[in-house]
């Protein structure tokens, strides 16, 4: 099946402080641990490169946590290993996630030098009170400074992460956040705008259990969501996935890879991989990882054809373009209609799915109720 | 066997006054078991009983006691259930005894069930002597309780042993009192056989094991026995007595003895509690008094949550009935719930216990419909139906009138709560009969109450309104004409048969409104708006709406999330599978249950 492209994800599990809603694996750590971790990471990347026979990478994503918390030289060392282990394509998209308040000119210069060409900045809100409620460590001004620094360092392909449905958020404060971000000079190429998900194991979850989390009602949440695409389109952004918007040509190639079944290797603590029709995950135990990073990579599931078809649908439909009938046919040797026609027709009748040329895609209402559709493909 | 050395007795008490603990101590002291062998409560050998602290099936145990007079006495201790649901079983157990120990809590004093059980024991001509338990409690007032026993019950209590069953204090005194104050059995071992069945259980190896008290005559291996009420006749395979937790075969059981009989009997329905076992070849002239057929009082529909498990449920009910002849069931079909059973129970506790056993011992997920009492429907054509399922109510035009069961209720409560308890009884359509102060601080309130008003949550309401101080007992009085209507629930315009129930016309609106509110919270949002309506005779009396779903989407799904998000969707899908489809609406199982818990206090 699809042999094109291979992606590398690198996980940096460190943060200054964990945000109240965050369920990613991250924690504060001292410099010694960070240093050891970077060494282990390099070892794993080299080992993975060997196993994948130096596959060519169409994208690299250094995520976290807060990768920008590491010294610039650590990022440089990691990138050197990546290039040693893999064949990084000329035009590869190489992203690093940064949080305002952990960014400096010196590091940005290093990022640019070692080939990083995209920055994802976690802002979440332009309202300092909302930022505080989320447990963020920065203000909006901190963000603007970081943003401008990145642009000056020559990395102008920037994503900004935003969040709706924040406790205490109103429609007007959300609109204000959207407009402020779109009005940055230059405007960001990409905006991720998520509805807050209260995940189990986070302080927000506990607060919600205790009835102490004042998140907007479902109806308000949807109004915010619809407002997002309306306002962003005013500024030239098009929604291309449930929560992602981009200026034309700036869709995040790395993430699109996840939704279109491009194989990837995830390096680092708790990182997930997908290749050879199987999913893997690394240990989430730091000590084991530091002891022997190459032995911490475990198979979690092998995907049979039915699983692959199911994933093709539930991941592909996340994108507004939808899933291609032709692509389905060519990948699986069976037509999408033969496999899923029954479900698809039902949802077309309910107004959740629609056919557009070669594509089957969610309607606007379908985007709000994507799970209803996706469950039927499981 | 020298009858003068046998003592057949039971222990009667209000719930939690320490009956089972005292039984344990007696067994321990009489030396059949070492302390190490003792489980916490030897008599209660079902897990469920131990957890709930109640005794479901009456059982018996035989122990040997060497008394101060140097002789060895055989004690047959017969355990009795403490709950009103099992009153008939209690009465048969009592009939197997010659005397009773009355256990009264030194702090709580006489309670409603103390009275009910003592009167029951006195009705059976048992010699009753009291013991005051829990004297180790700081709040113990043994003298007050003694006075109360004398005043309220009218039995001599000044020399009652003061004991703590928990700490083993005063047990010797109790054992001596059993010897001295409980009479030895009478009866003639040479007369024709008559033995009272006070319990039975099913064993997969031995078949039905019948627990009997031999009143006259002798039974041994090979005796051809006949059950006088059911007519079942078999040859005895084995007789024996009850060691703690096991059966010990012996040669014969003769007048005055308590023990068991096996006779390759296949079903419990042939050995009903209260029936008389006699010798088929030399029968006694008439059966022992007091037999009656136990009738279920409360019915509800029991359905497998997963309709594929129907056969499993059927098998489980069959097995349970082997051990509980009072459980009634017959197949029924519901449009909403599919294939299941209409089950009859002795009361709500019995229902709870059976449901829990089905879920626990047979690993079944169940959906039960609202419990219903048995209504009598007098039709215009002169026929009468016993209505156990509200869905079967005939068209109103065919109904002349209906009757509902009424109980005599006795509630004992401290005087501070008299007002709120009376208010509760009024709300539940109670008819005030009397109130008397049985001692300075406490009153005995008597009401007639419709059974259907107490089967839902009366106990809970009683407890919460009296801060746990009220105690309650009832027995069935009979049927009375009543203004009853069937309340139907329509979900998205479709009637859901499993949610229909019979209600007094005065409370129909209130109940309908609460049902709708509750269902609104239970039914998840769908792609479309769902009206929920409560109707009486086709007229809508209450309505709520479940708004259309606006959001069901995972905002994020990246490389590290895919496995987890897939699992989440799978789990949601599984959850949907367990829902019941009514028309185009999926109703969670919990909705059917939640409407049973309409809290009437708010």
């Amino acid at each position: 099946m699809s042999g094109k492209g291979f992606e590398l994800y690198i996980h940096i599990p460190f943060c200054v402080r964990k945000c109240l809603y965050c369920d990613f694996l991250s924690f504060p750590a001292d410099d010694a641990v960070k240093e050891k971790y970077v060494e282990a990471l390099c070892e794993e990347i080299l080992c993975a490169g060997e196993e994948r026979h130096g596959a060519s990478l169409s994208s690299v994503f250094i995520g976290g946590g807060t990768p920008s918390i590491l010294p610039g030289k650590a990022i440089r060392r990691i990138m050197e290993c990546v290039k040693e282990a893999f064949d990084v394509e000329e035009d590869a998209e190489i992203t690093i996630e940064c949080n305002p308040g952990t960014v400096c000119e010196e590091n940005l210069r290093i990022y640019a030098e070692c080939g990083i060409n995209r920055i994802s900045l976690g802002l979440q809100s332009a309202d300092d009170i909302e930022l505080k409620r989320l447990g963020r460590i920065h203000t909006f001004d901190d963000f603007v400074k970081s943003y401008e620094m990145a642009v000056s360092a020559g990395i102008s392909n920037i994503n900004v992460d935003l969040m709706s449905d924040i406790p205490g958020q109103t429609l007007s404060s959300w609109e204000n956040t959207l407009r402020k971000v779109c009005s940055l000079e230059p405007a960001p190429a990409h905006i991720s705008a998520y509805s807050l998900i209260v995940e189990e194991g986070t302080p927000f979850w506990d607060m919600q259990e205790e009835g102490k989390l004042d998140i907007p009602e479902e109806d308000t949440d949807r109004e915010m969501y619809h407002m997002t695409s309306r306002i962003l389109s005013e500024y030239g952004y098009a929604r291309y996935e449930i929560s992602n918007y981009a200026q034309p040509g700036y869709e995040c190639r790395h993430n699109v890879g996840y939704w279109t079944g491009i194989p990837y290797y995830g390096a680092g603590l708790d990182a997930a991989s997908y290749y050879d029709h199987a999913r893997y995950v690394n240990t989430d135990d730091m000590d084991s990882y530091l002891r022997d990073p190459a032995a911490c990579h475990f198979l979690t599931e092998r995907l049979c054809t039915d699983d692959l078809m199911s994933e093709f649908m539930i991941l592909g439909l996340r994108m507004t373009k939808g899933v291609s009938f032709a692509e389905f046919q060519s990948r699986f040797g069976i037509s999408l209609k033969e496999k899923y026609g029954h479900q698809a027709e039902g949802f077309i009748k309910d107004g959740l799915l629609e056919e557009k040329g070669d594509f089957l895609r969610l309607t606007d209402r379908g985007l709000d109720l994507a799970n209803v559709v996706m469950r039927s493909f499981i | 066997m020298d009858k003068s050395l046998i003592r057949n007795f039971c222990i009667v008490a209000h719930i939690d006054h320490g009956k089972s603990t005292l039984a344990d101590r007696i067994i321990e002291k009489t030396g059949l078991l070492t302390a190490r062998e003792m489980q916490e409560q030897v008599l209660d050998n079902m897990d469920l009983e131990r957890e709930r602290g109640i005794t479901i099936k009456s059982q018996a145990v035989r122990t040997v006691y060497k008394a101060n007079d140097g002789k060895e006495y055989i004690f047959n201790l017969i355990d009795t259930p403490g709950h009103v649901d099992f009153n008939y079983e209690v009465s048969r157990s009592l009939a197997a005894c010659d005397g009773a120990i009355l256990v009264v809590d030194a702090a709580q004093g006489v309670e409603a069930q103390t009275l009910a059980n003592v009167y029951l024991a006195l009705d059976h001509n048992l010699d009753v002597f009291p013991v005051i338990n829990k004297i180790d409690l700081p709040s113990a007032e043994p003298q007050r309780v003694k006075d109360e026993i004398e005043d309220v019950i009218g039995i001599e209590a000044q020399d009652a042993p003061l004991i703590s069953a928990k700490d083993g204090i005063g047990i010797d005194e109790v054992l001596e009192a059993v010897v001295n104050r409980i009479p030895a059995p009478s009866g003639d071992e040479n007369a024709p056989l008559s033995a009272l069945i006070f319990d039975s259980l099913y064993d997969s190896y031995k078949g039905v094991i019948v627990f009997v008290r031999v009143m006259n005559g002798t039974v041994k291996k090979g005796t051809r026995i006949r059950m006088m009420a059911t007519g079942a006749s078999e040859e005895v395979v084995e007789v024996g007595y009850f060691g703690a937790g096991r059966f010990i075969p012996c040669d014969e059981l003769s007048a005055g003895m308590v023990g068991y009989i096996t006779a390759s009997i296949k079903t419990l329905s042939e050995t009903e509690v209260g029936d008389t076992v006699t010798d088929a070849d030399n029968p006694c002239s008439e059966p022992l008094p007091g037999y009656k057929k136990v009738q279920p009082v409360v019915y509800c529909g029991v359905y497998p949550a997963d309709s594929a498990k129907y056969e499993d449920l059927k098998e489980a009910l069959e097995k349970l009935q082997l051990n509980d002849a009072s459980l009634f069931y017959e197949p029924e079909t519901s449009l909403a719930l599919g294939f299941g059973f209409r089950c009859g129970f002795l009361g709500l506790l019995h229902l709870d216990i059976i449901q829990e056993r089905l879920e626990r011992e047979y690993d079944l997920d169940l959906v039960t419909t609202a419990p219903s009492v048995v209504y009598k429907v007098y039709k215009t054509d002169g026929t009468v139906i016993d209505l156990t399922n509200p869905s079967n109510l005939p068209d109103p035009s065919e109904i002349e009138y209906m009757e509902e069961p009424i109980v005599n209720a006795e509630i004992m409560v401290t005087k501070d709560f008299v007002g709120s308890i009376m208010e509760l009884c009024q709300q539940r359509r109670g008819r005030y009969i009397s109130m008397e102060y049985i001692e300075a601080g406490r009153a005995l309130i008597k009401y007639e109450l419709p059974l259907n008003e107490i089967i839902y949550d009366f106990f809970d309401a009683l407890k919460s309104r009296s801060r746990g101080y009220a105690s309650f007992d009832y027995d069935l009085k009979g049927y009375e004409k009543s203004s009853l209507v069937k309340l139907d629930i329509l979900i998205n315009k479709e009637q859901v048969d499993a949610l229909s129930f019979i209600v007094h016309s005065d409370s129909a609106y209130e109940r309908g409104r609460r049902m709708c509110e509750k269902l609104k919270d239970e039914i998840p949002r769908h792609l479309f708006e769902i009206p929920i309506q409560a109707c009486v005779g086709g007229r809508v009396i209450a309505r709520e709406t479940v708004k259309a779903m606006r959001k069901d989407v995972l905002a994020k799904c990246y490389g590290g999330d895919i496995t987890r998000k897939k699992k989440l969707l799978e789990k949601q899908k599984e959850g949907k599978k367990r829902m019941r489809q009514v028309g185009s609406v999926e109703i969670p199982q919990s909705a059917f249950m939640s409407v049973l818990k309409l809290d009437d206090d708010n």
Side-chain angles (χ1 to χ4, degrees):
Chain A
M1 281 163 223
S2 168
K4 57 174 185 197
F6 193 79
E7 306 189 329
L8 178 64
Y9 174 80
I10 297 164
H11 191 65
I12 309 297
F14 307 117
C15 274
V16 175
R17 184 178 84 195
K18 204 164 166 76
C19 300
L20 299 173
Y21 57 87
C22 175
D23 75 324
F24 282 96
L25 184 77
S26 68
F27 37 79
D30 60 35
D31 290 348
V33 173
K34 287 177 189 162
E35 226 166 278
K36 278 191 212 149
Y37 183 77
V38 170
E39 279 319 302
L41 203 50
C42 290
E43 190 182 329
E44 190 196 356
I45 291 168
L46 290 171
C47 180
E50 229 167 88
E51 264 172 37
R52 305 308 306 163
H53 310 294
S56 77
L57 298 179
S58 52
S59 82
V60 179
F61 195 107
I62 307 174
T66 306
S68 51
I69 206 175
L70 291 180
K73 63 177 197 297
I75 298 294
R76 191 193 328 259
R77 166 108 175 83
I78 291 167
M79 282 309 298
E80 279 165 6
C81 285
V82 170
K83 288 172 197 160
E84 188 184 331
F86 294 93
D87 171 20
V88 181
E89 288 168 17
E90 191 100 337
D91 63 344
E93 175 192 275
I94 303 174
T95 308
I96 186 165
E97 240 181 306
C98 300
N99 274 318
T102 60
V103 176
C104 66
E105 276 169 23
E106 164 70 7
N107 285 352
L108 285 164
R109 193 178 50 74
I110 294 174
Y111 299 163
E113 275 170 17
C114 58
I116 292 173
N117 51 25
R118 187 172 180 271
I119 282 187
S120 176
L121 268 172
L123 168 61
Q124 317 311 346
S125 171
D127 180 319
D128 288 345
I129 295 170
E130 286 171 10
L131 288 173
K132 207 160 192 176
R133 272 195 210 118
L134 291 171
R136 304 286 297 178
I137 57 162
H138 58 85
T139 62
F140 181 64
D141 278 348
D142 294 336
F143 161 79
V144 173
K145 278 187 206 115
S146 300
Y147 187 87
E148 285 166 352
M149 269 190 256
V151 174
S152 322
I155 307 177
S156 55
N157 184 357
I158 299 176
N159 164 59
V160 178
D161 275 348
L162 298 176
M163 192 181 280
S164 62
D165 228 12
I166 296 172
Q169 195 175 37
T170 62
L171 283 166
S172 67
S173 78
W174 176 234
E175 177 170 359
N176 186 44
T177 290
L178 291 170
R179 292 195 188 281
K180 269 189 174 163
V181 169
C182 293
S183 311
L184 289 165
E185 285 289 346
H190 189 284
I191 292 175
S192 294
Y194 308 99
S195 281
L196 168 71
I197 309 176
V198 180
E199 300 273 11
E200 209 169 337
T202 62
F204 267 12
W205 177 275
D206 298 338
M207 287 161 74
Q208 190 170 52
E209 294 286 289
E210 290 163 26
K212 288 180 187 156
L213 198 63
D214 173 32
I215 48 178
E217 300 270 309
E218 184 173 299
D219 288 356
T220 313
D221 165 83
R222 282 301 94 182
E223 270 183 69
M224 287 181 182
Y225 183 73
H226 297 148
M227 179 195 258
T228 308
S229 92
R230 203 172 56 240
I231 292 178
L232 291 187
S233 72
E234 283 176 34
Y235 295 87
Y237 298 88
R239 175 162 60 202
Y240 70 98
E241 192 259 1
I242 288 171
S243 306
N244 284 285
Y245 304 78
Q247 302 278 5
Y250 285 94
E251 294 82 8
C252 173
R253 198 190 301 169
H254 188 83
N255 288 342
V256 169
Y258 291 143
W259 303 315
T260 52
I262 305 286
Y264 55 92
Y265 187 92
L269 207 57
D270 202 32
S273 304
Y274 164 66
Y275 50 81
D276 301 342
H277 300 167
R279 295 200 175 275
Y280 304 80
V281 70
N282 284 359
T283 181
D284 59 4
D285 178 64
M286 182 61 99
D287 290 340
S288 322
Y289 185 74
L290 295 183
R291 243 188 337 265
D292 190 356
C296 288
H297 189 64
F298 305 108
L299 177 74
T300 52
E301 62 173 332
R302 267 186 208 293
L303 304 173
C304 64
T305 307
D306 253 21
D307 297 331
L308 292 169
M309 288 193 277
S310 161
E311 286 196 0
F312 180 90
M313 299 302 288
I314 62 175
L315 294 171
L317 284 172
R318 295 192 65 85
M319 293 181 300
T320 52
K321 187 171 79 170
V323 291
S324 153
F325 289 100
E327 172 84 18
F328 191 95
Q329 175 78 46
S330 83
R331 274 207 207 182
F332 304 112
I334 174 178
S335 84
L336 196 160
K337 284 192 176 161
E338 194 178 319
K339 177 71 186 170
Y340 294 122
H342 175 70
Q343 292 96 309
E345 270 164 40
F347 288 121
I348 289 172
K349 221 183 306 156
D350 289 337
L352 301 185
L353 281 178
E354 62 188 2
E355 268 187 70
K356 172 94 184 199
D358 177 46
F359 287 87
L360 179 69
R361 66 183 192 187
L362 291 168
T363 61
D364 278 352
R365 179 136 194 269
L367 287 169
D368 289 331
L369 303 169
N371 290 349
V372 176
V373 177
M374 288 169 182
R375 279 194 289 266
S376 77
F377 295 118
I378 283 211
Chain B
M1 162 72 38
D2 181 355
K3 286 202 293 289
S4 71
L5 295 180
I6 299 178
R7 295 292 181 273
N8 299 320
F9 64 100
C10 59
I11 305 174
V12 295
H14 186 73
I15 194 159
D16 284 343
H17 281 197
K19 185 176 75 171
S20 294
T21 317
L22 175 59
D24 288 351
R25 289 298 159 269
I26 291 175
I27 294 164
E28 206 175 43
K29 277 277 183 180
T30 46
L32 261 192
L33 288 175
T34 65
R36 199 168 49 84
E37 284 169 336
M38 293 285 294
Q39 280 180 300
E40 202 173 59
Q41 289 185 350
V42 172
L43 281 187
D44 294 349
N45 72 11
M46 278 188 274
D47 281 354
L48 191 61
E49 293 180 16
R50 200 173 352 243
E51 268 172 43
R52 289 183 170 229
I54 52 168
T55 308
I56 304 161
K57 293 285 289 180
S58 57
Q59 292 190 22
V61 64
R62 185 188 114 133
T63 67
V64 179
Y65 173 61
K66 191 154 195 246
N68 291 347
D69 63 10
K71 294 180 195 159
E72 280 198 326
Y73 288 84
I74 304 284
F75 281 6
N76 285 305
L77 170 54
I78 295 170
D79 198 20
T80 58
H83 193 271
V84 59
D85 280 6
F86 306 106
N87 254 350
Y88 179 68
E89 288 194 12
V90 176
S91 89
R92 294 305 84 201
S93 300
L94 293 175
C97 300
D98 302 299
I101 306 175
L102 168 66
V103 179
V104 183
D105 183 308
Q108 310 251 324
V110 174
E111 298 279 0
Q113 282 168 16
T114 317
L115 274 188
N117 288 326
V118 167
Y119 289 149
L120 214 49
L122 294 174
D123 282 349
H124 287 87
N125 294 319
L126 301 193
D127 283 12
V128 179
F129 75 86
V131 304
I132 316 292
N133 190 23
K134 306 195 189 180
I135 52 153
D136 55 307
L137 291 182
S139 54
E141 293 179 82
Q143 190 51 49
R144 178 184 70 79
V145 172
K146 280 181 183 178
D147 293 344
E148 192 176 289
I149 293 170
E150 294 195 333
D151 291 351
V152 179
I153 305 176
I155 59 174
E156 160 62 33
Q158 291 314 320
D159 54 355
L162 301 182
I163 69 164
S164 163
K166 184 167 72 75
D167 296 342
I169 300 167
I171 307 302
D172 292 329
E173 213 183 320
V174 176
L175 295 173
E176 281 301 311
V178 169
V179 170
N180 298 321
R181 299 188 57 173
I182 288 177
S186 53
D188 177 359
E189 47 264 50
N190 298 314
L193 174 66
S194 65
L196 173 73
I197 302 180
F198 64 89
D199 198 3
S200 57
L201 68 82
Y202 181 82
D203 179 275
S204 43
Y205 297 106
K206 298 186 174 191
V208 177
I209 301 173
V210 192
F211 293 28
V212 295
R213 155 74 191 268
V214 183
M215 297 300 184
N216 282 301
T218 303
V219 58
K220 58 181 103 174
K221 184 176 172 178
T223 307
R224 228 161 51 79
I225 51 167
R226 185 160 61 83
M227 316 297 158
M228 295 183 79
T230 66
S233 184
E234 292 290 344
E235 190 169 300
V236 173
V237 174
E238 182 181 307
V239 298
Y241 54 85
F242 310 105
R246 58 184 188 272
F247 297 102
I248 301 170
C250 64
D251 293 337
E252 60 173 40
L253 296 174
S254 58
M257 290 174 79
V258 170
Y260 70 90
I261 302 174
T262 67
S264 54
I265 304 162
K266 296 289 183 297
T267 69
L268 277 188
S269 56
E270 292 174 34
T271 59
E272 290 182 347
V273 168
D275 198 355
T276 303
V277 181
T278 192
D279 187 332
D281 301 321
N282 179 22
C284 56
S285 53
E286 54 188 276
L288 298 163
Y291 168 77
K292 67 177 182 187
K293 196 163 171 60
V294 184
Q295 298 288 357
V297 176
V298 177
Y299 285 80
C300 75
V302 176
Y303 292 82
D306 173 359
S307 46
K309 292 279 171 72
Y310 174 80
E311 285 298 326
D312 296 8
L313 174 58
K314 186 173 161 206
E315 212 170 284
L317 284 168
E318 275 166 8
K319 283 193 185 146
L320 277 185
Q321 202 185 37
L322 286 176
N323 261 321
D324 184 350
S326 53
L327 168 67
F328 166 88
Y329 69 92
E330 66 183 9
E332 77 170 7
T333 320
S334 151
L335 288 175
L337 299 175
F339 292 102
F341 296 90
R342 175 105 329 216
C343 297
F345 307 94
L346 298 177
L348 264 205
L349 177 75
H350 189 211
L351 183 159
D352 269 1
I353 289 166
I354 295 293
Q355 189 181 333
E356 219 170 304
R357 290 188 63 185
L358 286 170
E359 293 186 326
R360 193 186 302 201
E361 293 171 28
Y362 297 92
D363 199 21
L364 290 164
D365 270 337
L366 300 177
V367 183
T368 54
T369 64
S372 168
V373 301
V374 184
Y375 298 96
K376 290 202 182 294
V377 182
Y378 290 80
K379 293 176 65 178
T380 47
D381 64 4
T383 57
V384 186
I385 334 179
D386 282 341
L387 185 76
T388 57
N389 181 351
S391 299
N392 297 339
L393 187 72
D395 189 85
S397 65
E398 294 173 30
I399 300 172
E400 184 78 42
Y401 64 93
M402 286 171 72
E403 287 184 349
E404 65 176 329
I406 305 290
V407 301
N408 285 315
E410 293 190 357
I411 301 162
M412 203 172 278
V413 67
T414 46
K415 69 174 192 302
D416 297 349
F417 301 111
V418 165
S420 61
I421 295 301
M422 288 177 70
E423 192 190 319
L424 173 67
C425 291
Q426 296 301 136
Q427 277 173 11
R428 301 298 179 100
R429 298 191 284 128
R431 193 185 301 136
Y432 174 80
I433 301 298
S434 68
M435 183 179 79
E436 52 188 304
Y437 281 92
I438 55 172
E439 48 153 340
R442 284 199 315 160
L444 177 66
I445 308 171
K446 293 187 181 175
Y447 263 87
E448 283 176 11
L449 282 160
L451 183 62
N452 97 344
E453 295 286 344
I454 59 176
I455 59 168
Y456 292 96
D457 52 359
F458 190 72
F459 292 92
D460 294 343
L462 203 61
K463 267 196 194 143
S464 68
R465 284 175 188 237
S466 65
R467 289 197 217 124
Y469 283 118
S471 58
F472 171 60
D473 198 57
Y474 70 85
D475 63 77
L476 216 51
K477 173 175 178 269
Y479 276 78
E480 275 183 23
K481 203 165 163 176
S482 179
S483 167
L484 300 164
V485 293
K486 179 158 80 103
L487 184 75
D488 294 317
I489 297 293
L490 275 64
I491 293 177
N492 206 24
K493 314 268 189 213
E494 294 212 32
Q495 188 180 323
V496 184
D497 57 359
L499 291 173
S500 293
F501 60 93
I502 306 284
V503 61
H504 190 266
S505 55
D506 290 350
S507 3
Y509 168 72
E510 198 49 31
R511 290 298 287 269
R513 191 178 58 78
R514 289 212 186 110
M515 286 276 279
C516 290
E517 281 171 5
K518 199 84 177 201
L519 286 167
K520 182 187 167 207
D521 294 340
E522 287 287 336
I523 296 174
R525 290 183 173 197
H526 282 55
L527 294 179
F528 44 87
E529 201 176 87
I530 304 166
I532 300 169
Q533 298 161 303
C535 298
V536 170
R539 196 166 54 86
V540 176
I541 57 167
R543 181 193 159 115
E544 292 281 345
T545 305
V546 179
K547 284 201 273 179
M549 185 188 349
R550 294 206 55 194
K551 180 191 181 188
D552 187 3
V553 56
L554 300 169
K556 262 188 198 188
C557 184
Y558 294 123
D561 300 328
I562 292 170
T563 304
R564 206 159 52 96
K565 297 280 151 89
K566 261 187 350 191
K567 283 208 178 105
L568 182 66
L569 290 171
E570 267 163 33
K571 211 171 117 195
Q572 290 170 345
K573 188 168 181 169
E574 278 305 306
K576 295 229 174 260
K577 265 198 209 151
R578 286 200 304 271
M579 291 200 196
R580 296 295 172 156
Q581 189 92 24
V582 174
S584 47
V585 180
E586 285 164 336
I587 306 176
Q589 321 272 16
S590 58
F592 294 95
M593 325 289 268
S594 73
V595 295
L596 312 184
K597 310 220 153 64
L598 299 172
D599 185 355
D600 283 13
D601 286 340
N602 308 321

